[in-house]
Amino acid sequence: MSSVPLTLGPLVAPGFVVQRSGLRWLCDDGHVCRPGEVIAFCNIGLVPDGHGKGGLRPFADEARDFQVALAPRVGGRVSKAADSSHGGFLDQLDFQAWTPNHIVGHIQCRPGQRPPGYDVDGGLRLLLLAGRRMTEIAEVRSGLLTGWHDRSRAWWGEGTSEFGTLLSLGTCDQAGMIRGERFAFLEMFEAVLGPAQIVFVPDDALVPCAPAITEQLSRTPAQFDDIAADFATTFAAGPVVPSPSDWIFAGCLMSTLQRSPLTERYDMLTRTGLRHAGPADAVMLSLNVESESILRHRKLGYAVKLHDFRLAESGPAIRAWLHNNFERVKRTLSDIQRDYRTLIDTVRARSDTKFLIMNVMSTSGNETIHNYAPFDRPMGETLLSIRRRELNLMLHDLARERDVAIVDLDAIAAEFGGNAHLPDGVHSSGALQAEVRGEILRILRARGVRGFGVPSPR
């Protein structure tokens, strides 16, 4: 066996000094890693070097949760350098300069297996990760890409050409598939060549149904000012005095309504310099969020969709505000299909964006209905299993009309046996998530989304 030193290699941001924390290791000394497996990470930051042009600093809204993860290009036994970690805040805050020739450890591999491109990157791939906090006081430094973020993302740092971006406007049915078991996109990027970026926007406040996303995309600053002003005058003046948790919930909802994930652009730090990407080349949605009804503001007309469990857990002030200022609007299957068409056409009027929509599980081993005669028509308004089948059929029609790729969770879950891996029709097992993850990547490659090719054999 030969011992190959692992050095940080270059990481360049013109006009800035790249600084880093000590390493936090994700494996024990002596661990045998796979090629491309993330084994350690550190926090990084950009400090002006005095020679830049000034202006808005890159990653300004992600500066506190900006990290680099290290992945050896070849597999082998890992040996940590004694000075790679210092513990405490020295491994959490960027106190030291990024030094390209700094040796963080060694990897024992077979003779002649020196990593390709070693002279350039020291045998390590860099996975950059950034999280934009829902609020700056949500301070969570416990691990890799931990914290409460309204947007999290990751990308390989070796890109020299334009990045391809997948945007997941996800509910919990997508979170594990996109962000993986450790919620840091690691499984996705072990299977992606790059240059690619994956972005995940959660559904903590606003559920990303088609009409809400379309309105975010088209909303002007003046329209949001009207929404914010109306909220300021109606929420606190309601019949119930808001609690601190009510203000947090409502503030997050307002913050979400102000942004449009579909138009956002992204700063990208790479080994060769700063780059930019966006808007997204591919957008992944979930049919699960297209419910029978949404809330629409009585005065200003904007749409809101919130999870039922969030409403149940919210305080009386939130529920009173929603009851007094919004009306519940029912949606037929035709309405949902129309909303999807409007969203897709609005986005594609600006760019050639690929759409992936994950369908819903339509069957259940627990279903014991043997005679449908007692149920009134349309049965989709009474029986969830019927509604799910109708939704999936509607999605097939939409896919033909608008060239949408269907992520067929329904078929994959059925092959897995359904209930054991998707007991409630939404939350899936790790094995099912891995299978669907592979299907998502297959679709991205088939659709020619740049950066999502298969890594070459090492």
Side-chain angles (χ1 to χ4, degrees):
M1 302 292 286
S2 62
S3 180
V4 177
L6 298 174
T7 61
L8 291 175
L11 190 59
V12 177
F16 299 90
V17 175
V18 180
Q19 293 188 321
R20 68 174 181 89
S21 68
L23 293 189
R24 281 192 271 177
W25 290 88
L26 299 174
C27 65
D28 295 327
D29 213 34
H31 170 73
V32 178
C33 74
R34 305 180 305 276
E37 177 185 349
V38 168
I39 59 173
F41 70 96
C42 63
N43 282 63
I44 62 169
L46 303 183
V47 179
D49 63 4
H51 303 290
K53 299 179 181 179
L56 184 64
R57 185 181 302 186
F59 308 98
D61 54 0
E62 300 166 312
R64 294 184 182 272
D65 292 316
F66 189 19
Q67 297 173 320
V68 175
L70 311 179
R73 289 187 175 275
V74 297
R77 191 174 301 277
V78 176
S79 174
K80 307 174 186 178
D83 63 348
S84 62
S85 298
H86 305 285
F89 276 106
L90 299 188
D91 286 351
Q92 297 181 29
L93 302 177
D94 45 298
F95 285 129
Q96 57 186 299
W98 181 280
T99 308
N101 60 0
H102 181 77
I103 297 174
V104 300
H106 292 75
I107 190 163
Q108 293 182 354
C109 53
R110 292 191 299 272
Q113 207 179 14
R114 191 178 181 87
Y118 178 83
D119 294 336
V120 175
D121 60 22
L124 289 171
R125 297 196 76 188
L126 302 183
L127 181 64
L128 284 294
L129 307 105
R132 185 176 63 197
R133 294 181 180 182
M134 188 70 76
T135 169
E136 279 302 323
I137 64 173
E139 185 82 14
V140 182
R141 294 183 176 271
S142 58
L144 185 60
L145 204 57
T146 51
W148 185 23
H149 301 131
D150 74 353
R151 185 188 73 191
S152 54
R153 60 191 181 107
W155 65 96
W156 282 123
E158 290 82 30
T160 57
S161 57
E162 290 189 29
F163 280 78
T165 296
L166 168 66
L167 169 63
S168 171
L169 295 174
T171 60
C172 44
D173 60 351
Q174 288 186 24
M177 297 165 187
I178 299 298
R179 294 195 58 172
E181 293 289 341
R182 287 194 273 186
F183 260 53
F185 303 98
L186 302 186
E187 293 88 347
M188 273 288 213
F189 279 99
E190 281 196 38
V192 169
L193 175 63
Q197 176 186 214
I198 301 174
V199 183
F200 182 80
V201 175
D203 56 341
D204 295 333
L206 182 70
V207 176
C209 63
I213 299 170
T214 305
E215 290 176 10
Q216 283 177 294
L217 178 66
S218 306
R219 184 170 292 129
T220 66
Q223 287 173 326
F224 176 75
D225 288 344
D226 290 341
I227 292 173
D230 179 83
F231 166 76
T233 57
T234 59
F235 186 58
V240 181
V241 176
S243 68
S245 61
D246 291 329
W247 283 109
I248 292 172
F249 184 97
C252 292
L253 177 60
M254 289 296 111
S255 177
T256 304
L257 290 172
Q258 187 176 16
R259 293 191 172 105
S260 171
L262 289 169
T263 59
E264 288 189 320
R265 305 190 68 85
Y266 313 95
D267 296 323
M268 316 283 290
L269 179 62
T270 73
R271 287 196 178 278
T272 57
L274 286 168
R275 299 183 180 279
H276 305 280
D281 300 275
V283 176
M284 182 171 168
L285 307 172
S286 172
L287 192 56
N288 255 318
V289 306
E290 304 300 337
S291 59
E292 292 182 357
S293 64
I294 58 174
L295 298 176
R296 191 163 289 284
H297 196 270
R298 299 179 192 275
K299 176 182 176 182
L300 299 177
Y302 65 92
V304 164
K305 172 73 176 81
L306 307 174
H307 284 302
D308 290 340
F309 76 90
R310 296 282 187 209
L311 288 175
E313 295 169 353
S314 65
I318 291 289
R319 293 194 292 272
W321 177 68
L322 292 172
H323 175 76
N324 292 333
N325 294 278
F326 292 80
E327 61 180 344
R328 188 170 293 276
V329 179
K330 291 201 67 174
R331 305 168 74 205
T332 66
L333 290 173
S334 296
D335 292 333
I336 295 171
Q337 189 173 21
R338 178 206 63 213
D339 291 339
Y340 269 135
R341 288 194 197 107
T342 301
L343 170 62
I344 293 168
D345 292 348
T346 302
V347 173
R348 286 184 174 163
R350 306 177 182 215
S351 61
D352 181 24
T353 304
K354 315 298 182 186
F355 278 87
L356 293 73
I357 303 178
M358 189 165 69
N359 65 11
V360 295
M361 183 181 178
S362 64
T363 57
S364 170
N366 294 327
E367 190 173 82
T368 57
I369 299 173
H370 302 291
N371 184 355
Y372 289 91
F375 296 96
D376 294 332
R377 296 178 181 274
M379 286 187 288
E381 295 184 1
T382 306
L383 299 175
L384 181 59
S385 60
I386 298 296
R387 174 173 171 77
R388 287 176 170 174
R389 291 175 187 132
E390 291 174 344
L391 281 169
N392 284 349
L393 287 172
M394 179 276 296
L395 182 58
H396 276 275
D397 292 340
L398 179 75
R400 287 192 294 268
E401 292 176 6
R402 293 299 191 271
D403 190 26
V404 169
I406 297 175
V407 181
D408 200 348
L409 172 70
D410 191 31
I412 297 173
E415 292 176 359
F416 268 67
N419 288 351
H421 293 272
L422 199 65
D424 61 358
V426 176
H427 302 94
S428 52
S429 69
L432 180 56
Q433 287 179 356
E435 191 69 21
V436 177
R437 189 180 303 124
E439 176 66 4
I440 294 168
L441 291 172
R442 184 197 66 77
I443 292 172
L444 293 173
R445 289 160 185 157
R447 297 269 166 157
V449 179
R450 56 194 173 191
F452 285 87
V454 180
S456 58
R458 299 176 179 86

